[in-house]
Amino acid sequence: MGSTNSTLLKIPNVEVLMQETGLKLVAEENCLNVSPAHIIRLHDRFKALDKEGRGHLCPHDFGAIKELAMNPIGDRIIGAFFSPGKETVDFHTFVKILAHFRPVDKDRPKEPNSPEPINSRSNKLKFAFQLYDQDKDGKISRDELLQVLRAMLGMQVTDEQLESIADRTIQEADLDRDDTISFEEFRKSLEKINIDHKMSIRFLR
Amino acid sequence: MASSICLCLLRAVFLVCFVNPLIQGLSGDVNLVQDPRHRLEKNLTGLSIVTFDWHHVQTPYLVITWVFVAGLAKLSVIELNHHVISVVPESGLLIILGFILGGIVWGADKAQTFKLLPPTFFYYLLPQIILDASYFMPNKLFFSNLGSILIYAIFGTCWNAATVGLSLWGCYEAGVMGNLDIGLLQFLLFGSLIAAVDPVAVIAVFEEVHVNEVLFILVFGESLLNDGVTVVLYNVFDAFVALGGPRIDAEEIFKGIFSFVVVAFGGSFLGVVFAVLLSLLTRCTKHIQIIEAGFVFVVGYLAYLTADMLSLSAILSVTFCGICCQKYVNANMDEKSVTTVRHAMKVLANGSETMIFVFLGITAIDTEIWVWNTGFILLTLLFVFIYRIIGVFLLTWMLNKFRLVPIEVIDQVVMSYGGLRGAVAYGLAAMLDKDKIPEKNLIISTTLIVVYFTVILQGITMKPLVQWLKVKRAAHADLKLIEKLNNRAFDHILSAVEDICGRIGDNWWTRGWNRFEENYISWLLMKPKARKNRDYLFSIFHKLNLEDAVNYVSEGERQGSLAFIRSDEVANVDFKKQFGSEFTDVMPDIMVDMSNYELGIENFSVTSIVKDTIPSVSLDIHGKDRKNVADDINAHHLLQQHLYRSRKNHRHKFSRSHFSINQSEDEVQEIFQRTMRSRLESFKSAKMGVNPAKKITKHHKKDLTHKMANGHPDGTDHLYGDEVDSAVGSETGAIRGTFMRDTYTVRAGIENPVFLPAMDSPTHSSLPWLMETDAVAPSQRAQWRLLWTPNRLRRLAPMRVSTCSTDSFLMADLEEHEEKPQTDHEEEIRPVFD
């Protein structure tokens, strides 16, 4: 317990962070079992990524992750960590972003007044939405969709095919026929998908 | 209902007249069958022209007759009152029908001549069902839940076998069952054969219930995989029973456990090997496409038999063969072969499923096997039921600690309630050796009762239970590109986040496997041609487009030939582009509209534009007419046509929701031509001052009702259409002159098409072709169109209609029969003018 606490103490604002993100100490839950908490784990990872020890991460720190560089939409995901105009991300934001991917816990008592948790369905969707919506105008335009499609489908299809796919995709979701997908349309079109399942990572539970 | 009774009667008659003699032929082998032989030998003096040689064909004849009877049974079950079907699952009904059939056989024979024999079941009925189940397994779902499935299949089954066996033994020792010649090992043997959930029963019942996919895959996957476990347990305990209690030592037990590993993994591995073989084989069947579909069945069956020969788990072998080969086989084979495989597989699986249930019923009608022991039977039912529940809840509790999405309590209830036992248990029970297990008949009858209880009673109550518990049902969603696209995106996002977190998680493994599969396995097992263009998203897109095209063709064929697709070369993906470049100079406004249409309507792909070209067919008929009549007639005729058409175009917009109103092509043609003829006649007679013969029009009323049906004012559609029209109108109006626009606006203001006929009559009463040109002004559209040369007009025909409504495709037929009333008007008006 001692080591856990001492590590925790080094992390600034840890209580606030835990409350906001819902990430808990495993040690707290099963009182007998002293196991490292998610936050400490993430803090270690944060420090490992932050090779120069500045206390914050830059895009190139993420770029150094080899697997991420191979990810077709990796740069977009990295971009999601940085709020517009900022070049750095501190640990607080880092954890908050990752907290999107916590599975939804059903047994947690619902407080009517509490703000919507970060890992709620619509927040998860918002995260996905902003990966498309690079110009942050709240709409996925055909071009934005095409870029993502091109990244994900790669060389396997021709440009014409890509365009028809994009057209059809927009046509499916576009309810108000403005040729773009707004967040509302995005949410509606994915209504049938179990987002809790598809946008959650087990070990962040 | 009447038809179902008819069927039942028919079948009964069929059975009595046809099957029973055959049955007697089988049972009274010596007497009846030999008879014709004797007669033959007696009459050998001359050449007999026709001989009756039952003996020759007896076996295949009986087999095929039973297949036929089972097919009829299924038919009658399906045709039965739908109330019954919705309450009792098909499998239960088939078993009950089996009781009846068995009763008939028994009544005729006084003994059960036909039974479900284990070899028949295991070699001829079971393999195709398992192959079908695995070949159409949703692989991603299966593998992402594989851990849970394995836990249920292995530990759940072992738990069931051990607890049921031990508890029964305990009760027996306590003296509940009276005097039985049975020991602990026999009880465990019985427990092991009754432990497994049966894939056939589970598929049959759960397919009708439509529970959510995760729940389904858990129950179904468990039922498939636990067969390996059961067979091993069965073999081990069978061997133990043969060895006898005292000779079992630690070594034997260890060997038993080891054999489990070998049997289960060996069987699965063998299946994978055969899957690789099959995939490689289909790589080079390009020139024997006709039989390549057969390979799937042959190799699958080979996998089953080989595993059985090596005493490995045959069911696991064929399961993994199907699961692993499906992707590559489907990619390698011709599309036709894929369809063939799909259908043939379903025919075989469905057929043998029916056979199995019918025979499970028939087998019951046999006095020989029934040994009643109330304690044993009731306790078995109780323990089977209770330990299944306990086992599921225990294992789920453990699993939920690890699962990303925990299994809910309701799902657990359904899972434990879905522990259906079936023909596999019966087959194993029937395989027992009577010498080693004196109470074999008791075991068989208990197994049968458990099977009936679970399949019929639990099957019947499953649906109400699922409804009552509000279990999440499978969403019957249409395939959507955006969902698939986002699923792909989610996968990438998750693996990226795992990378950022620096953890090796599920997604890391999934991605690693996908990459490996793509780079090496696909390279090995797939045709190079199939590897190209096989992106999943694109294939979805392709599939959606194919669906649209099929719909389009089936709709379009009713309207006329689709040859224009070929001649105009517009049916490809670039339709819009080509069309655009061709016509932008002519009609810029329309092109704008087109792009709206293409994207604006859900589930309408590019083909929706092609649909609009249908009217060109009718325009060709105009062309024919034009040859025959003088120019001025032509002018009037055309004028009149477009006068109508512009109004009809308004009407189109109201019938978007009425896809069903489609007359047959003949009728449409007929109406059209009659309209034309009557119009011509009335015109001629008007010119010559002769009274035309009045025609009785029987379609009048019908058309009116059509109009009423289509007359729902649909605000948005109408508005939209008006926009288009006024866009065109303003363009043309500017060219042709202002008076046209004035009259046009009147037209555009008509909100409800139901009122259109009434509005029309004044126009008609002025009989356009007798008036001066300005009287005809109302159709400004027709006016400006006249200025086009006929050739030009025809070429533009598809374009013109496409401007007005995306649905003009389906309204093209409405257009025709809506002309009818107008003819009526004309004819009613005619005498007035004369």
Side-chain angles (χ1 to χ4, degrees):
Chain A
M1 203 72 181
S3 70
T4 310
N5 273 342
S6 59
T7 326
L8 265 185
L9 287 177
K10 286 180 207 155
I11 307 169
N13 294 334
V14 74
E15 280 85 16
V16 183
L17 193 60
M18 269 161 28
Q19 206 182 4
E20 274 178 0
T21 59
L23 282 170
K24 277 173 286 190
L25 288 176
V26 179
E28 255 174 32
E29 285 205 337
N30 332 341
C31 295
L32 299 174
N33 188 1
V34 182
S35 64
H38 290 308
I39 295 218
I40 296 175
R41 211 178 260 161
L42 289 177
H43 194 246
D44 288 345
R45 178 66 181 168
F46 186 83
K47 278 192 291 190
L49 288 177
D50 182 20
K51 287 198 184 71
E52 293 149 43
R54 291 159 306 194
H56 56 77
L57 295 179
C58 294
H60 67 84
D61 288 324
F62 286 104
I65 306 170
K66 197 178 105 233
E67 293 290 332
L68 198 56
M70 285 165 70
N71 197 318
I73 52 173
D75 49 342
R76 284 161 187 269
I77 293 160
I78 296 172
F81 279 84
F82 299 92
S83 45
K86 270 196 179 172
E87 280 299 300
T88 59
V89 55
D90 59 0
F91 181 65
H92 195 86
T93 330
F94 181 74
V95 175
K96 258 171 107 176
I97 300 279
L98 289 179
H100 280 104
F101 297 94
R102 270 185 63 237
V104 178
D105 32 15
K106 293 202 172 71
D107 18 289
R108 179 184 282 204
K110 264 188 190 160
E111 298 152 36
N113 301 328
S114 64
E116 205 181 358
I118 287 183
N119 59 350
S120 71
R121 183 190 158 87
S122 71
N123 274 333
K124 280 176 197 283
L125 276 175
K126 256 177 208 150
F127 185 88
F129 184 79
Q130 64 172 2
L131 294 185
Y132 293 97
D133 182 26
Q134 290 290 291
D135 60 4
K136 309 266 181 256
D137 63 349
K139 281 174 176 180
I140 303 175
S141 68
R142 186 169 177 270
D143 278 340
E144 284 167 341
L145 188 65
L146 258 181
Q147 282 170 22
V148 178
L149 274 172
R150 191 164 288 141
M152 288 203 305
L153 272 77
M155 296 291 105
Q156 298 196 28
V157 289
T158 62
D159 278 358
E160 281 90 29
Q161 287 169 341
L162 219 55
E163 276 172 34
S164 355
I165 293 178
D167 285 343
R168 189 162 183 138
T169 311
I170 291 184
Q171 168 200 326
E172 271 177 3
D174 190 16
L175 298 175
D176 57 6
R177 298 181 185 175
D178 63 349
D179 259 3
T180 57
I181 304 176
S182 66
F183 180 66
E184 197 55 28
E185 288 165 348
F186 186 73
R187 201 175 55 78
K188 278 228 174 77
S189 64
L190 297 181
E191 227 156 30
K192 295 239 171 72
I193 288 193
N194 189 350
I195 300 295
D196 293 342
H197 197 158
K198 296 259 159 73
M199 282 280 279
S200 299
I201 289 179
R202 194 154 52 96
F203 59 71
L204 285 174
R205 190 152 87 165
Chain B
M1 195 59 195
S3 68
S4 67
I5 292 171
C6 262
L7 271 170
C8 287
L9 278 176
L10 258 180
R11 203 189 43 258
V13 169
F14 164 79
L15 275 168
V16 172
C17 310
F18 189 56
V19 181
N20 281 359
L22 301 185
I23 293 157
Q24 278 156 9
L26 182 70
S27 57
D29 212 12
V30 192
N31 306 326
L32 275 171
V33 178
Q34 291 301 322
D35 269 351
R37 286 265 146 154
H38 289 307
R39 241 181 289 135
L40 267 184
E41 273 158 28
K42 270 185 223 158
N43 299 345
L44 261 182
T45 45
L47 182 76
S48 55
I49 297 169
V50 179
T51 58
F52 180 73
D53 203 348
W54 162 246
H55 198 67
H56 239 49
V57 293
Q58 180 186 336
T59 316
Y61 208 104
L62 279 177
V63 168
I64 210 67
T65 309
W66 273 115
V67 172
F68 183 63
V69 170
L72 283 184
K74 177 127 182 163
L75 182 68
S76 57
V77 161
I78 294 289
E79 289 294 320
L80 215 65
N81 195 330
H82 289 285
H83 269 304
V84 182
I85 279 288
S86 60
V87 176
V88 186
E90 204 187 300
S91 47
L93 279 176
L94 285 172
I95 289 185
I96 294 169
L97 239 165
F99 290 158
I100 298 168
L101 287 179
I104 293 170
V105 172
W106 199 77
D109 255 8
K110 299 288 173 258
Q112 191 49 274
T113 336
F114 299 101
K115 284 181 198 171
L116 185 56
L117 296 174
T120 320
F121 172 69
F122 282 111
Y123 291 128
Y124 303 115
L125 294 177
L126 188 60
Q128 56 263 45
I129 295 182
I130 307 289
L131 184 63
D132 168 74
S134 58
Y135 192 78
F136 296 104
M137 176 76 77
N139 267 355
K140 198 177 174 197
L141 200 60
F142 177 74
F143 281 110
S144 58
N145 289 298
L146 186 61
S148 314
I149 291 172
L150 280 177
I151 298 275
Y152 285 125
I154 297 172
F155 294 104
T157 310
C158 289
W159 157 268
N160 277 352
T163 48
V164 170
L166 287 175
S167 314
L168 280 176
W169 180 68
C171 292
Y172 168 69
E173 290 290 304
V176 185
M177 297 171 203
N179 222 348
L180 287 177
D181 186 7
I182 195 165
L184 172 61
L185 282 175
Q186 275 97 336
F187 272 117
L188 284 175
L189 179 58
F190 174 65
S192 68
L193 69 86
I194 205 83
V197 177
D198 185 68
V200 186
V202 163
I203 300 169
V205 169
F206 271 72
E207 262 186 357
E208 292 178 36
V209 185
H210 302 299
V211 292
N212 63 67
E213 49 182 10
V214 175
L215 179 56
F216 179 74
I217 203 78
L218 285 177
V219 180
F220 177 48
E222 178 201 349
S223 71
L224 268 184
L225 296 190
N226 69 11
D227 274 297
V229 183
T230 333
V231 172
V232 175
L233 282 178
Y234 176 84
N235 285 338
V236 167
F237 283 115
D238 202 31
F240 282 176
V241 169
L243 274 175
R247 285 173 57 193
I248 300 167
D249 48 18
E251 193 197 333
E252 295 297 326
I253 292 174
F254 177 75
K255 262 159 67 180
I257 295 171
F258 186 68
S259 85
F260 162 72
V261 178
V262 171
V263 168
F265 285 89
S268 316
F269 178 72
L270 199 69
V272 175
V273 169
F274 273 97
V276 171
L277 269 181
L278 179 57
S279 311
L280 284 176
L281 199 61
T282 49
R283 259 188 79 151
C284 38
T285 48
K286 198 176 152 199
H287 299 293
I288 45 162
Q289 259 177 23
I290 296 296
I291 61 162
E292 71 181 352
F295 279 125
V296 178
F297 300 95
V298 172
V299 175
Y301 197 41
L302 262 182
Y304 187 88
L305 290 182
T306 314
D308 206 54
M309 179 179 76
L310 298 173
S311 78
L312 302 172
S313 167
I315 292 177
L316 281 181
S317 169
V318 75
T319 301
F320 276 92
C321 180
I323 287 177
C324 297
C325 75
Q326 49 168 270
K327 179 179 173 184
Y328 311 105
V329 168
N330 281 341
N332 284 344
M333 284 196 312
D334 188 65
E335 207 150 325
K336 279 181 206 142
S337 309
V338 173
T339 317
T340 312
V341 168
R342 192 186 303 137
H343 286 264
M345 200 84 97
K346 291 291 173 206
V347 169
L348 285 177
N350 232 315
S352 42
E353 189 187 284
T354 312
M355 294 280 290
I356 287 173
F357 284 122
V358 168
F359 270 92
L360 270 180
I362 290 176
T363 313
I365 312 299
D366 187 2
T367 40
E368 269 176 37
I369 56 163
W370 286 108
V371 180
W372 190 265
N373 182 322
T374 318
F376 187 79
I377 290 172
L378 287 185
L379 281 173
T380 308
L381 275 179
L382 182 75
F383 288 143
V384 161
F385 190 68
I386 284 183
Y387 285 121
R388 166 80 185 171
I389 295 177
I390 297 176
V392 165
F393 274 81
L394 259 181
L395 290 173
T396 316
W397 176 74
M398 288 197 296
L399 277 174
N400 273 351
K401 293 193 171 278
F402 300 100
R403 278 182 69 89
L404 174 63
V405 178
I407 301 163
E408 289 168 31
V409 181
I410 290 172
D411 286 3
Q412 295 174 39
V413 172
V414 175
M415 268 192 81
S416 32
Y417 201 69
L420 308 172
R421 281 21 176 220
V424 174
Y426 168 74
L428 290 175
M431 278 200 325
L432 290 173
D433 189 350
K434 180 115 194 171
D435 298 336
K436 283 183 273 180
I437 296 141
E439 300 290 348
K440 179 186 172 185
N441 278 344
L442 177 61
I443 289 183
I444 291 185
S445 33
T446 312
T447 311
L448 277 177
I449 286 181
V450 171
V451 170
Y452 299 145
F453 181 81
T454 52
V455 171
I456 300 179
L457 282 184
Q458 285 181 218
I460 290 173
T461 43
M462 180 63 89
K463 222 177 214 170
L465 182 82
V466 165
Q467 275 161 0
W468 180 62
L469 288 176
K470 297 196 181 68
V471 176
K472 254 189 249 159
R473 300 296 194 91
H476 261 292
D478 304 331
L479 194 62
K480 270 169 114 188
L481 204 54
I482 187 159
E483 288 178 357
K484 300 290 168 191
L485 167 70
N486 275 297
N487 278 346
R488 173 79 66 94
F490 292 152
D491 287 345
H492 285 307
I493 293 171
L494 286 191
S495 54
V497 170
E498 281 193 357
D499 290 333
I500 290 171
C501 293
R503 295 286 304 270
I504 292 176
D506 310 340
N507 297 291
W508 189 89
W509 288 105
T510 315
R511 186 186 50 189
W513 164 256
N514 282 343
R515 210 166 276 168
F516 175 72
E517 199 261 357
E518 212 164 281
N519 289 344
Y520 300 101
I521 299 182
S522 292
W523 172 79
L524 181 69
L525 298 182
M526 262 196 214
K527 276 181 189 170
K529 209 177 129 212
R531 268 205 306 280
K532 249 187 252 165
N533 258 357
R534 57 167 200 89
D535 188 274
Y536 181 63
L537 277 178
F538 183 73
S539 69
I540 295 287
F541 175 71
H542 181 66
K543 206 165 140 193
L544 285 170
N545 270 354
L546 269 185
E547 259 171 38
D548 282 345
V550 168
N551 286 342
Y552 163 53
V553 168
S554 60
E555 280 296 312
E557 267 180 349
R558 272 181 243 164
Q559 320 295 330
S561 163
L562 292 169
F564 59 86
I565 293 182
R566 208 173 293 180
S567 54
D568 288 350
E569 294 180 337
V570 290
N572 56 25
V573 180
D574 288 328
F575 173 82
K576 199 186 94 189
K577 255 190 206 167
Q578 284 195 9
F579 233 103
S581 55
E582 212 173 317
F583 291 108
T584 31
D585 48 335
V586 194
M587 298 187 160
D589 289 339
I590 290 165
M591 293 320 294
V592 172
D593 293 329
M594 273 184 63
S595 60
N596 283 340
Y597 281 124
E598 192 193 354
L599 301 170
I601 313 293
E602 42 170 357
N603 286 335
F604 270 71
S605 76
V606 271
T607 46
S608 64
I609 290 164
V610 187
K611 287 170 184 171
D612 299 329
T613 46
I614 293 295
S616 68
V617 178
S618 61
L619 270 183
D620 282 339
I621 298 169
H622 297 197
K624 263 183 228 155
D625 289 330
R626 249 181 258 125
K627 281 175 203 158
N628 300 332
V629 288
D631 274 342
D632 54 342
I633 300 175
N634 184 14
H636 282 301
H637 166 68
L638 257 178
L639 190 63
Q640 198 183 15
Q641 272 302 293
H642 292 288
L643 198 77
Y644 294 149
R645 190 150 291 173
S646 63
R647 182 176 55 243
K648 273 166 242 143
N649 286 339
H650 275 292
R651 216 164 285 154
H652 291 165
K653 290 137 209 160
F654 292 88
S655 62
R656 181 159 286 160
S657 53
H658 288 267
F659 273 82
S660 51
I661 304 167
N662 263 322
Q663 289 178 326
S664 76
E665 187 193 340
D666 287 344
E667 199 181 348
V668 170
Q669 286 290 333
E670 149 101 10
I671 291 173
F672 179 76
Q673 286 185 352
R674 269 165 62 178
T675 316
M676 297 307 299
R677 213 178 303 132
S678 68
R679 244 182 238 150
L680 277 175
E681 268 169 28
S682 64
F683 175 71
K684 275 179 201 155
S685 58
K687 252 199 160 173
M688 294 159 192
V690 187
N691 248 337
K694 238 191 174 180
K695 277 180 195 164
I696 300 154
T697 49
K698 51 187 172 185
H699 291 290
H700 185 81
K701 236 179 192 167
K702 197 175 146 203
D703 287 330
L704 273 183
T705 48
H706 269 313
K707 251 176 229 168
M708 294 302 286
N710 296 340
H712 303 298
D714 188 334
T716 51
D717 283 347
H718 191 227
L719 256 177
Y720 202 49
D722 268 355
E723 266 172 24
V724 178
D725 275 356
S726 41
V728 179
S730 59
E731 182 209 7
T732 49
I735 306 166
R736 309 294 159 221
T738 39
F739 69 99
M740 293 173 186
R741 190 182 311 193
D742 291 338
T743 45
Y744 180 73
T745 44
V746 172
R747 222 156 250 299
I750 297 167
E751 287 290 327
N752 192 339
V754 177
F755 298 122
L756 277 178
M759 303 286 289
D760 288 340
S761 19
T763 324
H764 285 287
S765 63
S766 61
L767 269 189
W769 51 86
L770 295 179
M771 298 283 150
E772 292 304 315
T773 8
D774 51 21
V776 197
S779 170
Q780 125 269 22
R781 186 179 293 247
Q783 277 262 338
W784 66 261
R785 224 164 274 296
L786 269 179
L787 298 180
W788 303 97
T789 64
N791 277 342
R792 197 93 187 261
L793 182 69
R794 196 180 308 174
R795 188 156 145 265
L796 278 171
M799 282 300 307
R800 179 180 52 78
V801 185
S802 70
T803 61
C804 300
S805 163
T806 33
D807 285 349
S808 54
F809 154 68
L810 59 109
M811 283 142 200
D813 52 343
L814 289 177
E815 197 167 302
E816 250 64 74
H817 58 69
E818 273 164 10
E819 282 176 8
K820 204 66 214 165
Q822 280 125 34
T823 339
D824 295 344
H825 288 307
E826 275 170 33
E827 281 169 11
E828 278 158 21
I829 293 154
R830 281 265 356 120
V832 181
F833 271 82
D834 289 324

